[in-house]
Amino acid sequence: ALTGASSAAGISGVGSAYRHQFAPVDSNWQNDSPLPAYTFQVNRDVDTSWQLTDVQIRRLELAIAQGGILRATANVVARTTSLMTKTTASFTTRPPWTWDQCSVSLGGAAYAEIENMTIVIDQQIAGIPTLDGTRRVSRFRREGFVQVRVNGTIDFKVNSEWVTFKNQTEQRMVLRFAPSATSAIDILTIDLPLMRYEAFPGGVGG
């Protein structure tokens, strides 16, 4: 829904489990819709639900911090909204990923000095109204390239990452969430092939 490109394949020896891969793309799904459109139902524990039609997920934020679970926040834009009879929601029975199930590698080496991290995927999609005799959005388009931004706090023990920032060296970052080191299912991997620091605040108190 967010990336516009995905693939799925069975995992050998793990029954009906599948491996899903999502890769951001800059090409458009259709001329008036950068990503495949969805219909959302939102209920705020009242008598009816909102139905959001032709939804584009334009921004997704993934956040993890010590003592917490992996949280996702989505920002969406829809073509139309209406009221509908609410239906019963169904939820996964799988447990959420927790902070102690997360490991990070930088430049191909394990890195255990990160205290918290937020990753934002921004498709930069905007709704465009036109003079078409309606009050709804006519089409969607991108206002820029897909952006992936990372923000976090590092336990500042050595200057190696500051040197990486100073030299503007690109490196690979991989986050892996897994119930255990030997788990074959319920794994989430976030792979950033080339990451470069934009800022490295010192945080020195006065």
Side-chain angles (χ1 to χ4, degrees):
L2 174 76
T3 63
S6 64
S7 61
I11 301 176
S12 177
V14 194
S16 59
Y18 279 80
R19 177 181 291 109
H20 299 270
Q21 293 181 310
F22 303 89
V25 294
D26 286 314
S27 58
N28 291 334
W29 181 63
Q30 290 183 346
N31 289 335
D32 62 349
S33 182
L35 301 175
Y38 283 78
T39 298
F40 281 14
Q41 178 186 164
V42 180
N43 185 267
R44 297 176 178 268
D45 199 23
V46 293
D47 56 339
T48 56
S49 296
W50 289 346
Q51 179 174 295
L52 310 181
T53 306
D54 288 348
V55 172
Q56 300 280 289
I57 301 179
R58 58 184 178 184
R59 189 174 184 269
L60 179 68
E61 177 181 295
L62 301 173
I64 186 68
Q66 64 272 27
I69 63 173
L70 177 65
R71 295 183 177 274
T73 304
N75 180 279
V76 306
V77 59
R79 196 185 302 270
T80 61
T81 61
S82 58
L83 294 178
M84 63 173 288
T85 301
K86 66 178 179 180
T87 59
T88 302
S90 60
F91 301 96
T92 179
T93 58
R94 309 304 299 174
W97 288 292
T98 58
W99 67 285
D100 57 321
Q101 296 173 341
C102 178
S103 58
V104 181
S105 68
L106 281 176
Y111 192 78
E113 310 305 330
I114 296 176
E115 298 178 6
N116 57 72
M117 182 177 296
T118 300
I119 298 175
V120 176
I121 305 171
D122 190 349
Q123 288 280 354
Q124 301 204 73
I125 293 174
I128 308 299
T130 61
L131 302 179
D132 60 355
T134 71
R135 294 184 178 182
R136 69 180 189 180
V137 169
S138 173
R139 62 195 59 139
F140 301 100
R141 73 181 179 197
R142 286 192 174 93
E143 297 183 317
F145 292 109
V146 178
Q147 293 183 348
V148 180
R149 294 186 176 275
V150 180
N151 184 50
T153 302
I154 294 177
D155 187 8
F156 200 28
K157 292 183 177 180
V158 295
N159 281 314
S160 57
E161 290 307 306
W162 182 85
V163 173
T164 299
F165 159 69
K166 180 176 179 294
N167 295 335
Q168 286 295 280
T169 304
E170 294 181 332
Q171 59 182 337
R172 182 183 185 185
M173 170 181 278
V174 178
L175 280 76
R176 185 176 188 271
F177 293 84
S180 70
T182 59
S183 296
I185 61 173
D186 295 337
I187 298 171
L188 173 65
T189 301
I190 302 173
D191 192 339
L192 307 176
L194 290 175
M195 183 202 69
R196 183 175 62 210
Y197 292 118
E198 287 188 335
F200 204 98
V204 178

